[in-house]
Amino acid sequence: MDYTNIIFKTEENIATITFNRPKALNALNTPLLNEFSNALDEIYKNEAIKVLILTGAGEKAFVAGADITELSKLNALQVKFFLKKGHEIIDKLQMLPIPVIAAINGFALGGGSEIALACDFIYASENSTFGLPEILLGIIPGFGGTQRLPRLVGKNIAKEMIFTGKMISGAEAEKIGMVNKICPKDKLMEEVLNTAKNLAAKGRVALRAAKEAINWGMNSDLATGCAFEIDTCALCVASEDAKEGLSAFLDKRIANFKGGLK
Ligand code: CO8
């Protein structure tokens, strides 16, 4: 597939998807969502890729939401299909078996915040702005915001953001636990890449297991989550990276993880 609404590149073992409609502040229209979905499928199939970074093209935005121009022409049934497509893609992003870091370089509004909420870490530049402003359009978040935001920051903070539609700075988003780290604008990608390289050097099986245990556990009760953790941790022990990690400790040397799937 040719990509025009996103830029998809892989350097060494780190993939980057850049949302690329800067004239519309990278708003999510159907062609962009199709390309994003296809790129995620490519990443699923490519075992060499160990970390994914998401960011936005241009100086102003990560993603300013779903494309309001496109949405305003749809009837309720068509909106339902559009939203279902969005949910399927964002679920696929969340379930990706590798770490995903959102590098927020400006506005992350509506669908932009909702994509970030499905990532594992959110790093944001000092000039970033977050918000779920759908209420100001007479609608509500439709790409998972009413579900993922309260799970991350708590029910009442999420309600305040969603009921008022207010925008908050990256620094405020960090304070409420939505953002992992705030970086100077010109250092954002450097910081994100440093973290991505750190993660890429870890055992792939263990990273995947940790991500699954946390994601599934957060959606279940404590006992179910702990039972899942026991099984997943035990399975990790069968991996070559675990053999390497455990024997490196006993040999008093630094582990050299190959990061394979065995
Ligand atoms: N969709 C389409 N175009 C957009 C969007 C968007 N979400 N955001 C910005 N643009 C376009 C503008 O129309 C403008 O285009 P043009 O130059 O052709 O007029 C261009 O991007 C630049 O934008 P502005 O001139 O507005 O830039 P400012 O710096 O003045 O303002 C803002 C930046 C504050 C980000 C402003 O553009 C804005 O408020 N954008 C909309 C943000 C928003 O409401 N996002 C939520 C969208 S809804 C959603 O994500 C989920 C919907 C699910 C339910 C759907 C049911 C129908």
Side-chain angles (χ1 to χ4, degrees), residues 23-25 27 60 64-68 71 83 107 109-111 133-134 139:
K23 284 192 183 140
L25 305 187
K60 283 178 76 172
D67 190 307
I68 299 171
L71 282 177
L83 297 180
F107 290 110
L109 301 176
E134 286 86 347
I139 54 176

Side-chain angles (χ1 to χ4, degrees), residues 108-137:
L109 301 176
S113 274
E114 289 168 302
I115 286 178
L117 286 167
C119 296
D120 300 306
F121 302 168
I122 303 178
Y123 281 25
S125 61
E126 282 166 344
N127 65 324
S128 59
T129 305
F130 291 80
L132 290 166
E134 286 86 347
I135 203 90
L136 307 174
L137 302 169

